[in-house]
Amino acid sequence: MEPYYHAEAVMIQVTQETRSGWHVIGVRGRADSEAADELEGTLRAAVAAHPKVAADFAALDYISSAGLRAVLQAARAAQACNAEFAVCSPSSRVKKVFDMSGLHHVLRIYGDLPC
Amino acid sequence: MLTMLEEVVLLAVDEKTGGLRSAREFGTVYALVGAVLFDLALAGKIDTDTETIQVIDKKPTGNKTLDRVLNEMMRRPDLNTVQDWIEHIYHRKADLEGEALESLIQQGILCHEKTKRLWIVDVERFPVVSDRHLQHVKVRLAEAIRSDGIPDTRDIMLVSIAEPCGLLGYVLDEKELERRRARIETLCTLETISRKVTRAIARLDGTLRQRMATKAI
């Protein structure tokens, strides 16, 4: 499937494609308060529709607390519908935020995409 | 829906006596400042990262306490870290607890009784009129701690503010809290605001200990 871009996205650009059984959501830009709702909505919709979802954060430059909450709540939604949800390839700046927040204690974070 | 500040203050009310468990301790004030910042974040007025805090929406929330803090934040762009604001609001000595109690009374959740002990000392009590909200707070806290799943954002925030206030002991017994210590620490670390509140309380404790040691010498 060809990646597509959300036309309304201002702060983040989202691409979606399916590879080897994983629905991969690529997120580019800044996940801050302005983008948090869109990010959470996109991830939630994906986990509701696909059994295995990978959020590819390789091109995510920045994540604020609002962005982090969006990821957490999407992971919560994944738990509720028994979908597998993995956060992958965070940039060093984003990984630093994940590490400080201890995010690895509550969700699966991979250095690379699983597919 | 109650604010985070109101939920934490409600939790500090002794259901049987109406007395306040927190008794306006210094560390609790820091945690209440954290609750106000969480309320502003939930209202979409501020956002934080690992250090900084910024106002993202200047429109008032309609809540007296939150709007006062929000206005203050807009007036002081020179203070831009979470730590700065926790310290700044703390040192303003605003009676956050008193304002939350007033609001809970107005909403018919608590009432206010003033009596005299030994005919001299004023004793204030805040008996619970309707315990629906208090039970709801307790159930959410207990579920967030007992479960291994990811809690709702508000519940993560609530655990991370109730813990430094020492209020979790009124929700679960000591043994269970000890058993779930790692889980509580995980939830308390997730948010920048609660990490900074914990650090501010630790620094305050250190300062107080140092002062006491100096006096003892």
Side-chain angles (χ1 to χ4, degrees):
Chain A
M1 184 192 290
E2 281 298 305
Y4 70 92
Y5 288 88
H6 277 234
E8 70 276 18
V10 180
M11 304 301 286
I12 53 167
Q13 287 177 317
V14 178
T15 60
Q16 305 202 34
E17 58 181 320
T18 300
R19 269 190 256 159
S20 312
W22 282 85
H23 188 72
V24 180
I25 299 185
V27 185
R28 173 183 294 276
R30 291 170 59 86
D32 59 12
S33 57
E34 280 189 57
D37 284 349
E38 187 197 348
L39 177 61
E40 184 175 337
T42 304
L43 295 175
R44 274 177 178 271
V47 298
H50 304 275
K52 291 162 104 177
V53 174
D56 181 2
F57 286 166
L60 189 66
D61 301 323
Y62 171 87
I63 190 161
S64 73
S65 298
L68 206 64
R69 286 179 207 126
V71 176
L72 268 174
Q73 292 311 303
R76 181 169 184 252
Q79 285 180 347
C81 54
N82 285 320
E84 204 168 331
F85 179 69
V87 170
C88 309
S89 326
S91 60
S92 59
R93 198 172 170 195
V94 170
K95 187 176 181 302
K96 188 180 161 197
V97 178
F98 287 175
D99 289 345
M100 287 181 85
S101 309
L103 209 64
H104 56 281
H105 289 298
V106 288
L107 53 85
R108 297 165 79 178
I109 302 173
Y110 296 100
D112 296 306
L113 281 169
C115 50
Chain B
M1 187 189 283
L2 297 183
T3 63
M4 193 67 54
L5 176 64
E6 288 163 352
E7 288 189 330
V8 176
V9 170
L10 182 58
L11 196 63
V13 175
D14 186 320
E15 287 160 88
K16 289 181 186 140
T17 67
L20 277 180
R21 287 154 171 160
S22 59
R24 293 177 167 86
E25 288 166 13
F26 295 116
T28 303
V29 178
Y30 273 127
L32 296 183
V33 172
V36 170
L37 295 179
F38 275 143
D39 279 323
L40 287 171
L42 287 170
K45 303 297 169 188
I46 62 168
D47 197 6
T48 56
D49 57 25
T50 53
E51 294 298 331
T52 65
I53 192 164
Q54 54 177 323
V55 176
I56 51 171
D57 179 4
K58 297 177 179 178
K59 288 192 288 293
T61 63
N63 176 289
K64 192 176 73 176
T65 305
L66 300 189
D67 288 340
R68 196 186 60 242
V69 174
L70 184 61
N71 281 329
E72 179 84 10
M73 294 180 92
M74 288 188 288
R75 277 199 302 269
R76 294 293 307 270
D78 55 311
L79 299 178
N80 57 14
T81 69
V82 179
Q83 199 71 46
D84 283 346
W85 276 102
I86 288 172
E87 296 292 347
H88 181 74
I89 303 170
Y90 174 85
H91 289 294
R92 295 278 296 208
K93 307 225 179 289
D95 186 8
L96 298 175
E97 189 174 58
E99 288 175 27
L101 284 168
E102 193 184 315
S103 172
L104 290 166
I105 292 163
Q106 278 173 3
Q107 293 177 67
I109 297 166
L110 300 178
C111 63
H112 187 198
E113 287 177 0
K114 221 171 182 179
T115 54
K116 294 259 186 214
R117 185 182 293 154
L118 300 172
W119 302 281
I120 300 168
V121 184
D122 280 331
V123 179
E124 282 189 287
R125 293 189 190 287
F126 302 89
V128 177
V129 177
S130 159
D131 81 339
R132 183 171 59 90
H133 292 89
L134 179 55
Q135 294 313 319
H136 182 55
V137 170
K138 285 185 166 185
V139 166
R140 282 165 42 214
L141 277 171
E143 279 177 4
I145 293 168
R146 283 177 176 149
S147 124
D148 289 321
I150 298 170
D152 176 68
T153 297
R154 280 185 71 88
D155 298 344
I156 293 172
M157 291 174 172
L158 191 58
V159 171
S160 71
I161 291 298
E163 161 65 5
C165 287
L167 293 172
L168 292 182
Y170 301 108
V171 178
L172 297 173
D173 66 45
E174 212 168 294
K175 273 186 183 170
E176 190 164 13
L177 285 178
E178 207 41 56
R179 233 181 6 253
R180 301 297 290 169
R181 180 54 43 198
R183 166 75 170 177
I184 294 167
E185 281 170 15
T186 295
L187 297 179
C188 289
T189 308
L190 285 172
E191 288 280 350
T192 300
I193 290 169
S194 35
R195 288 200 302 274
K196 299 297 180 186
V197 164
T198 304
R199 189 183 297 176
I201 291 172
R203 201 162 43 214
L204 179 73
D205 285 347
T207 308
L208 291 176
R209 268 199 300 274
Q210 203 170 17
R211 277 188 198 157
M212 285 168 73
T214 311
K215 272 186 184 174
I217 294 167

